[in-house]
Amino acid sequence: MNLTIHWTFLPHNDADASLAFYRDTLGFELRNDVGYGGMRWLTVGPPDQPGTSIVLEPPAADPGITEDERRTITEMMAKGTYARLVLGTPDLEGTFEKVQASGAEVVQEPTQQPYGVRDCAFRDPAGNLIRINEVS
C-alpha cells in the first residue's frame, strides 16, 4: 500500500483573513477559490508539494449537521479547540519570528518538549491550532 496525504480540511470563518494567513504568512500558494451558495472554499498548499493541500472551508457547511452541532463547532472554533494542523520546518526560530511578526496569536514560543519534539504554536484567524515542529 502506498498512501499520501492529499487533502485535509480546516474550518474558516473569514476566507480573506485565512487566505492572508496561509498565503502571505505561511507562504502557501492558493490553488482553488470556490464560491457556492454564499460560502467560499479555499485550497492552499506548499508550493513545492503540489500533492498536499489544505481546504479551508466554512464551518459546518455539511447540510447534515444540525443547528446545535453547528453552534457547538462555532463555539469550539472560538476557543481554539476544534481543529489543528501540525507543520514541519528546519528553521523553527525563523519561522516563529515571521509568523509572530504577522500578528498571529502566539500559543507557545519555541519549546523543547519532554517527548522529544521542539515546536511552537499559533492560532490561525479562525482559531485553529497550528503547531510547527522543527524537522531536519
Side-chain angles (χ1 to χ4, degrees):
M1 188 177 317
N2 183 8
L3 298 173
T4 61
I5 296 174
H6 187 54
W7 291 357
T8 190
F9 294 80
L10 287 176
H12 75 72
N13 50 18
D14 181 332
D16 291 326
S18 291
L19 179 59
F21 179 78
Y22 284 92
R23 183 190 58 203
D24 304 337
T25 299
L26 297 182
F28 288 177
E29 65 183 10
L30 176 63
R31 297 183 178 154
N32 210 356
D33 187 341
V34 176
Y36 178 77
M39 295 184 279
R40 190 170 166 202
W41 285 258
L42 304 167
T43 303
V44 297
D48 60 343
Q49 299 172 41
T52 302
S53 297
I54 301 166
V55 179
L56 304 166
E57 63 178 354
D62 185 323
I65 293 177
T66 68
E67 280 306 312
D68 284 344
E69 292 167 332
R70 186 168 284 113
R71 186 174 30 259
T72 298
I73 289 169
T74 302
E75 290 170 357
M76 291 178 73
M77 286 175 62
K79 291 172 52 179
T81 58
Y82 183 69
R84 72 189 81 175
L85 176 69
V86 180
L87 303 171
T89 181
D91 179 16
L92 185 64
E93 298 295 334
T95 301
F96 176 80
E97 289 174 14
K98 181 177 180 186
V99 177
Q100 183 183 38
S102 77
E105 179 185 347
V106 176
V107 176
Q108 175 206 297
E109 294 188 7
T111 302
Q112 183 65 45
Q113 301 292 351
Y115 44 87
V117 173
R118 182 167 168 74
D119 67 356
C120 63
F122 295 90
R123 293 208 192 287
D124 78 1
N128 300 308
L129 181 65
I130 309 299
R131 297 200 76 84
I132 303 173
N133 288 357
E134 186 171 57
V135 297
S136 52

